[in-house]
Amino acid sequence: MRKEISIFYSCLFFCTLGFLLMCERVTGDPRAQEVNVTCGRQLEHNSTIYVPNFVATMENISEQMRTSGFGVAVTGSGVDTNYGLAQCYGDLSLLDCVLCYAEARTVLPQCYPYNGGRIFLDGCFMRAENYSFFEEYKGPGDHAVCGNATRKSSIFEESAKQALSIVLSSAPNNKGYARGKVAVPGTNESAYVLANCWRTLNASSCRLCLENATASIEGCLPWSEGRALNTGCFMRYSDRDFLNAEPGNGRSRGSIIVIVVSGVSSLVVLAVGVTTGAYIWKHRYIQKKRRGSNDAHKLVKTLNDSSLNFKYSTLEKATGSFDDANKLGQGGFGSVYKGVLPDGREIAVKRLFFNNRHRAADFYNEVNMISSVEHRNLVRLLGCSCSGPESLLVYEFLPNKSLDRFLFDQNKGKALTWEKRYDIIIGTAEGLVYLHENSNIRIIHRDIKASNILLDSRFRAKIADFGLARSFQEDKSHISTAIAGTLGYMAPEYLAHGQLTEKADVYSFGVLLLEIVTGRQNNRSKSSEYSDSLVALTWKKFQAGIVEELYDPNLMLHSHHNSNVKNDVFRIVNIGLLCTQEIPSLRPTMAKALQMITTEEHLPAPTNPPFIDEKTMELNDTCEDPWYPLNAGLSASIATVQHSSFHPR
């Protein structure tokens, strides 16, 4: 188990290193920092058509990006047609361009199930829609993002305006690209500027776009940094030299590397391997190239020689060539198929569409962390395949799929007697206690929800999806980290401040308890008959002494006259409200919560939960993940609709 649960991360690592061994060095800066992501407002029409169209468009663009740093593609017809465009800014080498594009490609799928979106990184741009936008140069979303860290002098302001004017006049007649540098008189500073139009614009449209961008970005002065994010162009000025040297020999070197990439799993390696792998290479292997190469060769050989490495052909045959009859589920980022190995073992095989695990630090953290856990209430990852045309993950097959399939279905919910629900509660709690207290390192799961609780043939619970998990050192009171998880299950202090403790898992567990008792989903309130969140509604009913009105009718079907069951259910509601209290220090630990569940000790009265309007948080949780959601962050449900930042996530 210790090896198996880390296979996902190891597979990506090995796949990445396999082609990075051919790289001598990484030159330049791909400037893959995320500046802004804006998702469309129209839902995709048919996911079974939209997702393959999107993937095909991205693959088509990938081929073009490898040779020219620019790509456009159109796939499909009608309302599910996918139009895509990607372009790197003119100072990036081809290698750096591919790295930047790989980063953009991992972020844009977070807009799913909305059928459009655009992302500005500091080195490249990417956009996808269901209509032809290629000649658009302005739009209502055009705006500037200012860096308000340092206020500059009026002399710098004049120099920056001069540099902006230079690139504005030269870019339209230079394939839409120009860069400028103007020294600030009397100082050792300069103003640096970059401007780039998308290559689908003619010179006239490019000029109009850059004129609008210039007018917008000048509003950032006298601050030291500014970016104009326009429909047809990008412009940036800064008091620091962010520009790469003009591309030269680096382009050919980049081509060699990318050719190798194309022979590996294109869907995952391009999305993750290039970004993560090149980052790893650049920051860990450049300084120790010879030793790193030897180590990497050993790692690749270890995977190839391991029984954990499945042949693509074996998995293809096991699933009947991924026959729809064997399909168990599909989400925005992958499909899951039941398979039978030659030795008779039943497995679940996940085909990855794309992957957004793109931070090398997180990658290493998860490899080191997840490899240390082993518990009967944690799902088993059996192996992987990354040598075929796509990357595949192999899990133990759990015939009852995930808890949400039963819990939120009135008919299937009849199978969940109180005894089964109680056992699921205990199993989930024991798994979390192990993660928080009994493993070699403290681990916070960060995404406890019904779809991440898998059920075996006897309805025993197994916690799934460690893609967002974080380790926790004993001497730390909390972790400050980028917010990720599923809205409606996230603790308020984490959602507001990014401060992560075990109490975030306790809050999510409390929400899960209320869902198990009521059969209602906390973050689906907008589409149901009640307007408050489930947590808020339960609190009100509890205070009024009528909480039994919320009980799932299926729950009481066989226990209508059983007072002991009613008392047990009421006790679980009380514990759920204790776990979802607004003040983290008032919530019990998972060990204490488990003790409350399994004993008859006196329970304190809960205080109020956070009254968050979760209807406003549902935007990014409308995608149904496959029943095997161990996608290592592939479908983290929180993806801000319009997010501006000058720092990588």
Side-chain angles (χ1 to χ4, degrees), residues 442 444 470-474 476-479 500 502:
R442 297 158 65 195
I444 303 173
R470 290 292 178 269
S471 61
F472 201 72
Q473 297 178 8
E474 292 291 340
K476 299 292 184 181
S477 62
H478 67 271
I479 306 171
L500 183 65
E502 293 101 329

Side-chain angles (χ1 to χ4, degrees), residues 112-127:
Y112 180 87
Y114 295 87
N115 63 9
R118 64 185 76 178
I119 173 171
F120 286 89
L121 301 185
D122 265 333
C124 58
F125 170 82
M126 187 175 184
R127 183 180 180 185

Side-chain angles (χ1 to χ4, degrees), residues 24-45:
E24 287 186 9
R25 61 191 182 97
V26 177
T27 60
D29 179 3
R31 295 204 305 271
Q33 297 87 352
E34 181 182 312
V35 179
N36 179 271
V37 179
T38 304
C39 296
R41 297 183 178 181
Q42 182 180 352
L43 291 171
E44 49 82 17
H45 176 256

Side-chain angles (χ1 to χ4, degrees), residues 162-182:
Q162 184 179 350
L164 289 169
S165 177
I166 292 172
V167 298
L168 171 60
S169 62
S170 58
N173 298 316
N174 186 40
K175 298 182 180 180
Y177 163 69
R179 54 191 284 166
K181 172 185 176 182
V182 173

Side-chain angles (χ1 to χ4, degrees), residues 60-311:
N60 192 334
I61 291 176
S62 297
E63 295 294 331
Q64 300 172 60
M65 294 293 283
R66 298 166 194 171
T67 57
S68 67
F70 168 77
V72 293
V74 181
T75 307
S77 60
V79 294
D80 293 305
T81 305
N82 189 268
Y83 296 79
L85 179 151
Q87 179 173 326
C88 292
Y89 308 144
D91 66 319
L92 264 65
S93 67
L94 274 180
L95 173 56
D96 290 328
C97 177
V98 170
L99 297 178
C100 189
Y101 167 70
E103 185 82 0
R105 182 175 165 177
T106 67
V107 178
L108 191 59
Q110 295 180 20
C111 286
Y112 180 87
Y114 295 87
N115 63 9
R118 64 185 76 178
I119 173 171
F120 286 89
L121 301 185
D122 265 333
C124 58
F125 170 82
M126 187 175 184
R127 183 180 180 185
E129 303 286 356
N130 69 336
Y131 70 93
S132 179
F133 59 88
F134 300 138
E135 296 181 359
E136 292 182 355
Y137 68 87
K138 66 177 180 179
D142 295 352
H143 68 289
V145 178
C146 305
N148 298 336
T150 307
R151 189 180 182 91
K152 308 297 291 186
S153 66
S154 58
I155 302 175
F156 172 84
E157 183 173 352
E158 290 303 316
S159 298
K161 288 182 178 180
Q162 184 179 350
L164 289 169
S165 177
I166 292 172
V167 298
L168 171 60
S169 62
S170 58
N173 298 316
N174 186 40
K175 298 182 180 180
Y177 163 69
R179 54 191 284 166
K181 172 185 176 182
V182 173
V184 179
T187 72
N188 59 358
E189 289 187 319
S190 295
Y192 302 89
V193 174
L194 177 144
N196 233 139
C197 294
W198 316 144
R199 297 185 195 175
T200 51
L201 300 184
N202 58 32
S204 175
S205 296
C206 177
R207 180 175 298 278
L208 291 172
C209 185
L210 292 178
E211 287 176 352
N212 293 336
T214 300
S216 175
I217 203 173
E218 285 183 348
C220 291
L221 293 167
W223 298 107
S224 60
E225 191 92 34
R227 296 162 173 82
L229 315 179
N230 284 31
T231 301
C233 59
F234 173 83
M235 182 176 280
R236 178 184 179 186
Y237 80 82
S238 178
D239 64 344
R240 64 182 183 87
D241 187 0
F242 62 88
L243 298 164
N244 286 318
E246 290 289 356
N249 293 334
R251 286 189 178 274
S252 60
R253 181 180 293 111
S255 300
I256 294 172
I257 295 170
V258 176
I259 288 171
V260 178
V261 172
S262 65
V264 192
S265 172
S266 58
L267 293 182
V268 175
V269 173
L270 271 181
V272 182
V274 179
T275 305
T276 304
Y279 184 95
I280 294 167
W281 184 270
K282 188 173 184 178
H283 294 279
R284 291 188 178 243
Y285 287 92
I286 287 178
Q287 297 176 359
K288 301 179 180 180
K289 184 171 60 176
R290 178 172 299 176
R291 188 183 71 184
S293 296
N294 292 335
D295 290 344
H297 278 297
K298 291 178 181 178
L299 289 172
V300 174
K301 187 177 187 301
T302 297
L303 178 65
N304 290 333
D305 294 343
S306 171
S307 61
L308 304 177
N309 179 38
F310 288 84
K311 292 183 179 180

